[in-house]
């Protein structure tokens, strides 16, 4: 370990970094102005008075706007904070699996997301639950998909606020003073809520340009500059290997994995595959996809989005750079907190002004996905609960008003969640959300290719997957006795550790197949399919489906 590892903390380690904070505030103000200006950008004929305009940006985004929007949506502030933190604290299995899973993800998008875009374009679907109802004629299955999507999204939004908290804490704002600790987060929440309400999806779309540019700049500079400062990549890997091999004083086992061992291969592989299958089931991922103007836009993006996977690989390695640098991620409460490792690394190793740029990249990186997630959750509530179950005759303008209000409620819930519960709870519930959201895969993706599955069989499979995944996750207990402490558990029948979500997904599918055979044999009525084969190949310019007027005597 080099001298930085044993050097004492500077006297002002917990003081306010005025320069970095000033840069952060300036860049935050810039994107705030852009968020409100977005109301005028590519404005549709009916303003923001429909979900197509407010919630999907008019379905008009081209290749580059969609690329920045999807990048801003998928690579969040918490990605910036959590992936290097996992590498720093636990090693490659917990941290680096995110890289191969994003590599596996994009061929999956290329194959099926263009079909979802086409059928949604033809029928005016705004959410995945819209498609499920149209495909299977089942309000119950649609409701299950919509509720799952909302529940899985809420802790994801909370984690974006955790990312902002990490930056503010390293910048010196927080500690025992509740006003100093929470006021900046309230301000960020208020600004986010205001420009999302006024500008809809256009706000995060335009802010994503700034966010992604800053993140590319910060990470590329870091991976070029920092290794030379801490002794080179050989020393970085040696320091990481030494730390991961050191026994954990609580368990007596190695701290983490430098390279996955054969016993960890199943966990690593299932985490990667399951996460790849789950990511584009989240409402916010599908919202960003449906905002594009053509099916070919989706395919082009699936081809160029791997550039973010390269960036993610560099970002993950910063966790090991921090080990070699001797970074000490100590919170303002005096307790170690690995989630602070990247902001702390930048504050320790860079001039204050560049640390401010890095802080801004993380904070702005929280605003973009939080906005998209809240919009997606609001769209889902409005279309699949409010209109479907509460007010079937709602006009487009009423839908837009309700969605705007629900987007505020969703963000308020996330804020209360972060301020009143331990941060670890947000992470645990986000892991649980990943297990839940994968259980919607059969209803959505299988439905893009076949109508063989019975609607009630899919609902039964979803219920089994949800119950199994939730119980398994609950029984995953930390050494301190905390439930929902991880997303990996023993796979029954294999004797291997694997991702709970993927095991639940397999059970989900098997139950759906078995029940479909039973229901078909019993001739249980199936729902009406509102789609036809050609709908799944429609492109921009093709006419949308119009309702047939009822005959009146």
């Amino acid at each position: 370990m080099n001298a930085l590892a044993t050097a004492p903390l500077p006297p002002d380690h917990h003081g306010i970094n005025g320069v970095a904070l000033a840069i952060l505030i300036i860049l935050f103000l810039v994107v705030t102005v852009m968020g409100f200006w977005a109301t005028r950008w590519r404005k549709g004929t009916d303003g923001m008075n429909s979900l197509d305009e407010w919630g999907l940006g008019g379905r008009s985004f081209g290749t580059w706007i969609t690329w920045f929007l999807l990048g801003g949506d998928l690579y969040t502030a918490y990605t910036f904070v959590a992936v290097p933190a996992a590498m720093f604290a636990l090693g490659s299995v917990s941290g680096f699996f995110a890289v191969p899973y994003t590599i596996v993800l994009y061929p999956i998008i290329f194959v099926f997301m263009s079909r979802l875009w086409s059928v949604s374009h033809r029928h005016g679907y705004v959410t995945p639950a819209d498609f499920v109802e149209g495909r299977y004629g089942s309000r119950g299955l649609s409701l299950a998909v919509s509720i799952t999507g909302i529940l899985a999204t809420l802790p994801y939004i909370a984690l974006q606020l955790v990312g902002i908290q990490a930056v503010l804490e390293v910048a010196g704002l927080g500690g025992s003073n509740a006003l100093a600790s929470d006021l900046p987060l309230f301000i960020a929440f208020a600004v986010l809520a205001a420009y999302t309400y006024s500008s809809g999806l256009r706000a995060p779309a335009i802010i994503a340009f700034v966010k992604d540019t800053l993140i590319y700049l910060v990470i590329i500079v870091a991976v070029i500059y920092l290794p030379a400062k801490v002794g080179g990549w050989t020393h970085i890997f040696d320091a990481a290997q030494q730390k991961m091999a050191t026994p954990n004083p609580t368990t007596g086992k190695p701290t983490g994995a430098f390279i996955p061992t054969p016993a960890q291969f199943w966990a690593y592989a299932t985490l990667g595959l399951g996460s790849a299958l789950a990511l584009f089931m989240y409402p916010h991922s599908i919202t960003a996809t449906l905002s594009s103007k053509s099916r070919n836009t989706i395919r082009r993006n699936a081809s160029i989005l791997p550039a973010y996977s390269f960036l993610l690989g560099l970002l993950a390695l910063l966790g090991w750079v921090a080990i070699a640098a001797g970074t000490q991620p100590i919170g303002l409460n005096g307790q170690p907190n690995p989630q602070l490792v990247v902001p702390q690394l930048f504050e320790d190793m860079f001039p204050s002004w560049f640390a401010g740029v890095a802080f801004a990249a993380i904070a702005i990186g929280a605003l973009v996905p939080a906005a998209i997630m809240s919009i997606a959750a609001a769209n889902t509530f409005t279309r699949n609960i409010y209109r479907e179950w509460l007010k079937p005759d709602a006009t487009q303008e009423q839908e837009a008003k309700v969605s705007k209000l629900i987007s505020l409620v969703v963000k308020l819930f996330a804020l209360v969640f972060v301020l009143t519960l331990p941060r670890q709870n947000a992470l645990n519930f986000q892991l649980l959300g990943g297990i839940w959201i994968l259980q919607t895969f059969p209803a959505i993706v299988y439905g893009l290719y076949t109508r063989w599955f019975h609607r009630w069989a899919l609902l039964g499979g979803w219920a089994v997957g949800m119950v199994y995944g939730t119980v398994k996750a609950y029984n995953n207990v930390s050494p301190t006795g905390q439930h929902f402490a991880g997303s990996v558990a023993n796979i029954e029948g294999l004797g291997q550790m694997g991702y709970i979500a993927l095991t639940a997904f397999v059970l989900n599918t098997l139950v759906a197949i078995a029940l479909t055979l039973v229901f078909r044999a019993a001739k249980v009525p199936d729902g009406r399919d509102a789609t036809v084969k050609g709908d799944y190949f429609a492109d921009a310019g093709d006419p949308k489906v119009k309702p047939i007027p009822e005959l009146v005597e």
Side-chain angles (χ1 to χ4, degrees), residues 59 143 233 447:
R59 302 182 192 251
L143 181 64
W233 284 108

Side-chain angles (χ1 to χ4, degrees), residues 199-210:
S199 303
L201 194 66
R202 287 175 171 82
I206 198 166
I207 293 173
F209 283 91
V210 177

Side-chain angles (χ1 to χ4, degrees), residues 316-459:
L317 290 176
L318 291 182
W320 284 356
V321 171
I323 295 174
T327 303
Q328 301 181 42
I330 306 297
L332 293 175
N333 59 2
Q335 299 298 315
N337 182 359
Q339 294 176 5
L340 305 180
V341 69
V342 165
Q344 192 63 60
L345 175 67
F346 279 95
E347 184 177 58
D348 291 346
M349 304 297 291
F350 283 100
S352 293
W353 68 268
F354 192 80
V357 173
F359 294 170
I362 299 174
I364 296 170
L367 299 179
V368 172
I372 302 171
M373 291 170 190
S374 64
I375 290 168
N379 288 349
T380 302
F381 175 87
T382 301
R383 292 280 291 200
N384 308 117
I385 297 176
Y386 172 74
R387 192 187 72 168
E388 188 62 36
W389 296 90
L390 303 177
K391 191 173 176 57
D393 59 345
T395 65
Q396 288 191 347
E397 187 173 356
Q398 288 173 329
E399 285 183 359
K401 287 181 179 179
V402 170
S403 200
K404 290 176 183 180
L405 291 174
I406 294 299
S407 74
L408 299 180
V409 173
V410 166
K411 285 188 280 286
L412 182 60
F413 174 88
L415 182 65
V416 171
F417 191 99
V418 168
L419 294 180
T420 58
L421 296 175
R423 292 182 188 178
Q424 187 60 37
N425 284 1
L427 175 59
N428 291 345
F429 281 111
Q430 195 274 325
L431 294 175
L432 185 61
I435 295 170
W436 289 344
I437 200 66
L438 185 54
Q439 307 320 307
T440 65
F441 188 99
I444 298 171
V445 179
Y446 296 169
L448 291 171
Y449 293 91
T450 178
R451 188 57 174 78
W452 180 80
F453 286 93
H454 195 282
R455 55 179 174 169
W456 301 126
L458 287 168
L459 188 60

